[in-house]
Amino acid sequence: MHKLFLLPLLLALLSFTAADRPAYRLFIANGKSGDYDQMLKELAQADVVLFGEQHNDPIAHWLELQVAKDLAQRKAGQVVLGMEMFERDVQPLVEQYNVGELDDKAFEEQSRPWPNYATDYKPLLKLAQQQKLRVVGTNVPRRYASQVAKASLGSLDALPASEKAWLAPLPITVDYELPGYKNMQAMFGGDAAHGAGVQNIIQAQALKDATMAYFIRQNRQPGQVLLHFNGSYHSDNHDGIVWYLKQADPKLKILTISTVAQEQLGKLEKENEQKADYVLVVPTDMTKTY
């Protein structure tokens, strides 16, 4: 009798589970299922956390906000936010906005925010205001990346010292054998040793990576966690920004998160294993912010 009574209940529960549609899944590097609370505990023990996003993915942006909130609570007064989305020459504006000296309208008119700023990055800056977290724009001004893509890193040597202050110190070493840069060689149809065009494009990417790494290090004090938001490509496979950080300080404890899209969320696909310490998987048909 009891079994007959429990059977409909069991079927109902199974039906509910089958109908569930999770918005994301979290995995660790080897493909095993990850746990948010365990991840947060590990992130709090790091020196630098690189949260790699897909720029138009709302789930990544939502989780970035949750991680920032929870880390700020766990490590009160010891969290700094770093952002690829703001360039070094607008850092004074970021600081003025952060302490309330600049209103929303003035900041958004002058700081060259990305088109998806209002939905995806403004919540982070508002959180920083509320929690009194420092915010650091880490990216190279885009005009210099464009210059390098056209004329190589050597073209930066002629810049005045006041503008070089917005870049990683020159000269910048580029390791063309890093996985991300080798992928760029393949994408642009050549290899870095044969073809100035491909080489310059990779150098422009390296300029961004090196500059973000440099200003991450410059703005982190001992005992702090610098939580940095960047496109996944800048930190996937533990190269890009990670490589430049490690070149400068091999002892730095760095953890990475990568955002990937998959048709199914049941398991981490082989090609996405080892991309980062934690891999955030979202459905390929997830709504995009642009």
Side-chain angles (χ1 to χ4, degrees):
M1 185 70 178
H2 289 297
K3 289 181 180 178
L4 291 175
F5 174 79
L6 289 173
L7 185 59
L9 179 60
L10 180 59
L11 290 173
L13 288 172
L14 289 173
S15 175
F16 176 79
T17 303
D20 194 18
R21 291 291 183 270
Y24 79 92
R25 286 284 308 280
L26 193 63
F27 295 89
I28 58 176
N30 64 7
K32 292 182 179 179
S33 185
D35 177 80
Y36 178 85
D37 289 338
Q38 178 61 31
M39 180 182 76
L40 192 70
K41 181 180 178 181
E42 292 184 23
L43 299 186
Q45 296 169 358
D47 299 320
V48 175
V49 175
L50 301 174
F51 197 131
E53 62 172 48
Q54 300 301 321
H55 296 314
N56 62 357
D57 182 77
I59 296 299
H61 294 303
W62 173 80
L63 200 64
E64 286 172 345
L65 186 62
Q66 306 315 306
V67 169
K69 284 179 182 177
D70 293 337
L71 269 184
Q73 183 176 22
R74 186 177 284 257
K75 288 186 68 80
Q78 293 183 298
V79 176
V80 178
L81 303 185
M83 302 183 73
E84 174 194 358
M85 301 80 200
F86 292 100
E87 298 161 17
R88 287 306 300 167
D89 57 341
V90 302
Q91 180 61 25
L93 301 175
V94 173
E95 293 174 1
Q96 290 170 33
Y97 182 70
N98 190 227
V99 298
E101 294 176 0
L102 206 61
D103 64 21
D104 287 354
K105 185 173 184 294
F107 177 68
E108 291 167 29
E109 286 175 348
Q110 299 174 52
S111 64
R112 304 194 302 274
W114 288 12
N116 56 325
Y117 165 76
T119 55
D120 299 342
Y121 306 115
K122 189 172 183 177
L124 287 167
L125 268 64
K126 287 299 184 184
L127 173 70
Q129 286 181 335
Q130 295 162 7
Q131 299 287 333
K132 301 191 184 313
L133 309 177
R134 286 186 57 233
V135 179
V136 180
T138 60
N139 206 358
V140 64
R142 65 195 74 175
R143 57 188 177 276
Y144 301 119
S146 296
Q147 179 178 323
V148 169
K150 294 174 184 175
S152 87
L153 280 167
S155 69
L156 301 175
D157 293 339
L159 292 177
S162 59
E163 294 181 40
K164 286 181 179 176
W166 297 326
L167 319 174
L170 301 175
I172 292 170
T173 300
V174 183
D175 182 351
Y176 296 100
E177 294 304 308
L178 292 177
Y181 298 163
K182 286 183 73 68
N183 286 341
M184 290 179 71
Q185 293 170 24
M187 281 191 292
F188 290 101
D191 64 71
H194 304 91
V198 175
Q199 192 174 56
N200 289 350
I201 291 169
I202 294 170
Q203 288 183 9
Q205 179 81 359
L207 173 64
K208 296 177 183 180
D209 291 337
T211 297
M212 286 189 273
Y214 178 73
F215 287 105
I216 286 170
R217 290 183 57 248
Q218 291 292 106
N219 287 280
R220 179 194 163 270
Q221 299 300 317
Q224 291 181 332
V225 178
L226 196 145
L227 173 60
H228 190 264
F229 306 109
N230 52 265
S232 288
Y233 204 83
H234 288 291
S235 53
D236 277 355
N237 304 304
H238 299 91
D239 65 12
I241 298 172
V242 181
W243 188 84
Y244 284 101
L245 286 171
K246 287 292 190 182
Q247 293 301 302
D249 186 355
K251 295 181 180 179
L252 207 61
K253 184 173 182 182
I254 305 164
L255 289 176
T256 59
I257 302 168
S258 180
T259 305
V260 303
Q262 295 185 177
E263 291 287 345
Q264 54 80 30
L265 271 60
K267 63 178 291 187
L268 188 63
E269 293 172 2
K270 200 72 178 175
E271 66 184 36
N272 292 324
E273 291 182 10
Q274 307 303 329
K275 272 193 175 180
D277 297 295
Y278 283 90
V279 182
L280 168 65
V281 180
V282 298
T284 51
D285 61 354
M286 173 58 63
T287 304
K288 305 296 188 287
T289 56
Y290 65 88

